[in-house]
Amino acid sequence: MEILTVALVGILPALVIAAALSDLTTMRIPNLLSGAVALAFFPAAMAVGLPLSLVGLHALVALAALVIGMGLFAMRIIGGGDAKLMVGVCLWLGPSAGMDFVLWTALTGGLFSIAIISARKYFSPYAAAAPGWVGNLLEEKGDIPYGVAIAMGALLAFPYSVMAAGVFAA
């Protein structure tokens, strides 16, 4: 049963990495990935033995992320895929690591955005010659694939979550 628990809890890192790669290469995070992140939480929470009351708190954190994500999407700050991915990640991280996630996502998002903007400044003349998705990243007025920052925030905050503690507790 322990191997199954580790496998179930390992779904979050695997899915956020897949979402980041998808966003980086296509500027899209498929609904299937965001939905899988959210749905995989429930069997993983059962495997870890999360009490129902704590599952409810995780759901409240996800609900708050949904409201905030909808606002950010309405203001065109983030894309719809980013907002949905944040909801699923917040469901996993809950109150124990939700703020860590927000801080890590903001920090890595800022650094990633600076890197992309700098690369565009110096390499945009070569964008047409670059392979498809690299050329898209280098477009001067192009979007920033923020799913990369969301994935980094999730991966950096995940060790501080009760879900990770349920697996890696001594």
Side-chain angles (χ1 to χ4, degrees):
M1 186 65 167
E2 189 173 309
I3 292 174
L4 178 60
T5 302
V6 170
L8 285 169
V9 171
I11 289 173
L12 176 68
L15 290 177
V16 296
I17 290 169
L21 290 172
S22 176
D23 202 18
L24 186 66
T25 58
T26 68
M27 296 290 190
R28 288 183 34 85
I29 300 172
N31 289 335
L32 183 63
L33 275 175
S34 298
V37 169
L39 289 176
F41 167 75
F42 296 102
M46 286 178 47
V48 168
L50 218 58
L52 192 56
S53 60
L54 199 48
V55 170
L57 285 175
H58 279 244
L60 284 175
V61 171
L63 180 61
L66 176 64
V67 171
I68 293 167
M70 287 170 57
L72 293 172
F73 174 72
M75 294 185 290
R76 297 182 182 255
I77 294 172
I78 63 171
D82 300 327
K84 290 178 260 186
L85 182 61
M86 283 193 317
V87 171
V89 169
C90 284
L91 183 60
W92 277 80
L93 299 180
S96 64
M99 285 308 297
D100 292 327
F101 167 64
V102 170
L103 293 172
W104 280 118
T105 300
L107 180 62
T108 58
L111 292 173
F112 182 64
S113 295
I114 289 169
I116 294 291
I117 291 167
S118 297
R120 287 175 178 168
K121 180 178 179 182
Y122 296 107
F123 300 112
S124 65
Y126 311 107
W133 67 272
V134 175
N136 290 340
L137 272 180
L138 294 176
E139 283 181 15
E140 246 180 276
K141 302 280 186 199
D143 291 334
I144 305 274
Y146 209 72
V148 174
I150 294 167
M152 287 301 299
L155 294 171
L156 290 166
F158 186 59
Y160 303 100
S161 70
V162 295
M163 295 295 287
V167 172
F168 303 111

